[in-house]
Amino acid sequence: MPARRTTARGKRTAPAAEPACPVCRGSGWETESVCVGRSQRRVGTSEVICPRCLGSGIDPTPDRY
């Protein structure tokens, strides 16, 4: 009977995770202060879509390129 052949398999690694946006820290949202009146006093905050990643949470310009 011939010798049994085995194949060596390497460890499978997960693909690298996409880098998170440094502005919103990966959430896709950022807070912005709301100003009202003639003297533009600040009355609160509002959540807006991150202008850098446009809400995706992934860094559009990673340093890996």
Side-chain angles (χ1 to χ4, degrees):
M1 187 167 174
R4 186 174 183 180
R5 292 185 185 180
T6 59
T7 57
R9 292 187 180 187
K11 284 188 175 182
R12 293 185 181 179
T13 58
E18 295 289 333
C21 178
V23 177
C24 64
R25 296 183 187 95
S27 68
W29 293 93
E30 186 179 9
T31 57
E32 188 175 84
S33 59
V34 177
C35 303
V36 295
R38 184 190 231 172
S39 61
Q40 293 295 306
R41 67 174 192 260
R42 293 190 176 126
V43 294
T45 58
S46 175
E47 285 193 355
V48 296
I49 291 178
C50 178
R52 181 171 173 147
C53 66
L54 299 175
S56 67
I58 300 171
D59 191 8
T61 56
D63 294 334
R64 61 186 167 152
Y65 296 118

